[in-house]
Amino acid sequence: DETITILPGTINSILEVDGTMLIGVAGSKLTRVRKGHNNYIIDQPIEVFGATSITSLAFEKNILFLGTDKGLYKLFDFTPKKNNDVVTLTNSWNLDNSIIRSLSVHQNFIWVGTEGQGIYKFSFEGEEVEHFQYDQRKQNNLNSNYVLTSYIDRNNNLWIGTWFGGMNVIDLSEKNYSVIYDAENEKSLFSNII
């Protein structure tokens, strides 16, 4: 058994791409871990200028998306095993100065969960397609603008974990909302903090 113990600080996100581990950490640099012949090769090939945390990662069609505390960044033609030069990203691709908490890719769109602004759906070209936010006047909508995590399952459901809003589910095939929330007992299974 081999143990890697030199990754200090908070680990926010882990993504495997073609056998290479990409790790979003507290700080402005993305950590990459690759298996060498007899050891692990650890480096930091990407720096997000001005960010203090890389909070979420997604990869699709050789595009690497990085969610940070300074917005959403996008790196084209990223090949995790071959990029050896350090790349510094200086300008966010979208949602400048927003805190990005989650990224989920579905059918050439990226769902971006934020801290305080709900969840966005963007095309890979950057066009905002949809924006879901909490609105107490509407039923069947997002229960909190603080999206902590998201996941798309094999049945095309977007699961959205929120801060004090419980779990929200959107059927991406039909745009139906479901909300899992315990108004009676905030210390239940979900505790309304996902």
Side-chain angles (χ1 to χ4, degrees):
D1 291 337
E2 297 179 61
T3 304
I4 299 173
T5 58
I6 64 166
L7 298 177
T10 303
I11 306 292
N12 296 318
S13 183
I14 300 173
L15 177 68
E16 185 270 332
V17 179
D18 296 332
T20 298
M21 301 306 294
L22 302 175
I23 304 170
V25 297
S28 63
K29 295 181 180 178
L30 178 75
T31 299
R32 173 175 57 182
V33 179
R34 299 174 281 171
K35 184 77 169 158
H37 294 291
N38 297 318
N39 61 352
Y40 286 97
I41 301 166
I42 300 171
D43 62 359
Q44 295 180 314
I46 299 170
E47 181 173 9
V48 181
F49 183 78
T52 60
S53 188
I54 297 174
T55 55
S56 50
L57 300 165
F59 183 79
E60 186 74 22
K61 297 182 179 181
N62 289 338
I63 301 170
L64 178 64
F65 295 94
L66 299 96
T68 74
D69 61 337
K70 296 295 182 189
L72 178 60
Y73 291 77
K74 179 178 174 182
L75 183 60
F76 292 97
D77 298 323
F78 180 73
T79 308
K81 292 184 180 182
K82 295 181 181 175
N83 294 28
N84 292 317
D85 297 330
V86 174
V87 175
T88 301
L89 302 175
T90 56
N91 297 314
S92 67
W93 174 67
N94 224 316
L95 298 173
D96 191 36
N97 290 318
S98 296
I99 299 172
I100 309 302
R101 295 292 300 224
S102 70
L103 299 173
S104 296
V105 175
H106 181 258
Q107 296 180 350
N108 296 320
F109 295 99
I110 185 154
W111 290 85
V112 182
T114 67
E115 193 170 296
Q117 299 170 19
I119 193 163
Y120 292 84
K121 178 183 179 184
F122 289 108
S123 70
F124 281 9
E125 292 76 37
E127 176 187 347
E128 182 181 315
V129 177
E130 293 182 89
H131 182 200
F132 296 92
Q133 288 185 286
Y134 170 71
D135 184 345
Q136 72 183 94
R137 297 169 294 171
K138 292 183 181 177
Q139 288 186 339
N140 283 344
N141 70 341
L142 207 56
N143 271 3
S144 171
N145 283 328
Y146 289 83
V147 175
L148 300 178
T149 189
S150 62
Y151 178 77
I152 299 172
D153 68 21
R154 68 180 126 192
N155 296 317
N156 294 320
N157 293 307
L158 173 61
W159 294 80
I160 305 167
T162 67
W163 179 262
F164 284 109
M167 181 70 76
N168 294 251
V169 182
I170 301 174
D171 180 341
L172 297 177
S173 303
E174 300 187 21
K175 301 271 187 332
N176 289 331
Y177 278 98
S178 297
V179 176
I180 302 169
Y181 183 86
D182 189 347
E184 299 288 321
N185 180 8
E186 292 193 357
K187 294 182 181 176
S188 70
L189 172 66
F190 290 105
S191 79
N192 300 324
I193 303 172
I194 308 298

